[in-house]
Every structure is written in C-alpha cells, then in structure tokens.
Amino acid sequence: MAKFVICPATAAACSDILQRIKELAKYKYMEEQVILTEKDLIVGFSMSHFNYDPWIGTWLYLEDFLVMSDYRGFGIGSQILKNISQVVMKCHCSSMPFLVAEWNEPSVNFYKRRGASDLYSKEGSRLFKIDKEYLLTLAAGEGRMLVRKMTASILS
C-alpha cells in the first residue's frame, strides 16, 4: 500500500509544499532531480458543506469527491473518506448524504462497500433542480402568484 498523508490543502498550499520539496533537494545537492509539479501534488480532493434539517439535525453534504485515475487503488480515496468521517463525528453530524451518477458503477461500488445506502431505491426520493432562468422568475416574485393561486384553490 502506498504511503501518503491527507491534509487540508489549497492551490497555494501545493505551491508551498513543492517549494519545500525543492528546498530539501537543493540542501541535498539533488535539485535537478525534482521533476514533481504542483499538479502531481493534487491527486485527490473532497468538497463538502454543512446543512441543517429540523428532523435530523446537522449533516455534512459531500458535494465532490475525486481521486485522479492514475492514483486510484492505493487507498487514497479510503483515507480521504476516513478523514471526512472523522469530521462528521467530531461535529456531531447525523449523516453524510451525497449523489453519485447512475452510470458511475465504480463509485457506487466504492461507497456501498463502505456502508452507503442507496436512498433512491430505499426511500423513493427524487432529486430536483431549478435552473437559473426559473430562479430569476421566482426571485422577481412571479413564482409567488402561482403559489398564492394554488393556496387559494386549496383553501376554498
């Protein structure tokens, strides 16, 4: 199994890390042997955000999760997921929902092997999206009229 360290990072952090690597190589008179680039340092990432539901409390939504294809199979994804799980537990979250494209069978299997439940098949939930053009209509107040008409017809 490959050895690696998972830590919070930004693009700026990768630049700093690469600089430290080059400094070490220079100290060892091996500067010309550093072929690593900033891109090589970013082999995987996750992006998430906290949400709150009045029924279940705080939860962490896993927005994105990726390990570059050349680095899959070394346990990096498992380690990233472990670190995310530790954040979830530390923050007393009730769960960690996320979406996976139906066609993405490798990811579906990755998550299922780690105990993820397929809510679409269990709860019959459906994902919806309102595109920007309709959000603009709603934001302008035009959507309220539709809601009022529906409410009025329900109340009458």
Side-chain angles (χ1 to χ4, degrees), residues 32-77:
E32 70 284 347
Q33 294 184 28
V34 177
I35 58 171
L36 194 66
T37 67
E38 286 183 34
K39 182 182 175 188
D40 295 324
L41 291 172
I42 306 171
V43 300
F45 76 95
S46 68
M47 184 171 58
S48 57
H49 52 86
F50 291 99
N51 280 312
Y52 182 81
D53 183 303
W55 291 3
I56 61 172
T58 303
W59 46 280
L60 184 79
Y61 184 77
L62 182 58
E63 186 71 44
D64 287 311
F65 186 101
L66 174 77
V67 174
M68 292 173 57
S69 58
D70 291 347
Y71 298 93
R72 293 179 190 150
F74 297 108
I76 295 169

Side-chain angles (χ1 to χ4, degrees), residues 66-122:
L66 174 77
V67 174
M68 292 173 57
S69 58
D70 291 347
Y71 298 93
R72 293 179 190 150
F74 297 108
I76 295 169
S78 295
Q79 186 64 41
I80 292 172
L81 193 57
K82 176 183 175 183
N83 287 18
I84 296 168
S85 299
Q86 290 169 346
V87 169
V88 168
M89 293 294 96
K90 180 180 178 184
C91 296
H92 307 288
C93 294
S94 61
S95 62
M96 185 181 71
F98 51 90
L99 295 174
V100 179
E102 288 183 33
W103 59 263
N104 192 347
E105 201 62 33
S107 290
V108 168
N109 292 333
F110 172 83
Y111 292 117
K112 282 185 175 181
R113 284 192 311 269
R114 285 151 182 87
S117 299
D118 185 347
L119 297 180
Y120 290 124
S121 64
K122 289 188 178 187

Side-chain angles (χ1 to χ4, degrees), residues 12 21 26 30 35 46 87 89 96 119 123 125 127 141 145:
I21 291 169
K26 185 176 181 178
M30 302 171 80
I35 58 171
S46 68
V87 169
M89 293 294 96
M96 185 181 71
L119 297 180
E123 295 184 14
S125 299
L127 174 67
M145 292 174 57

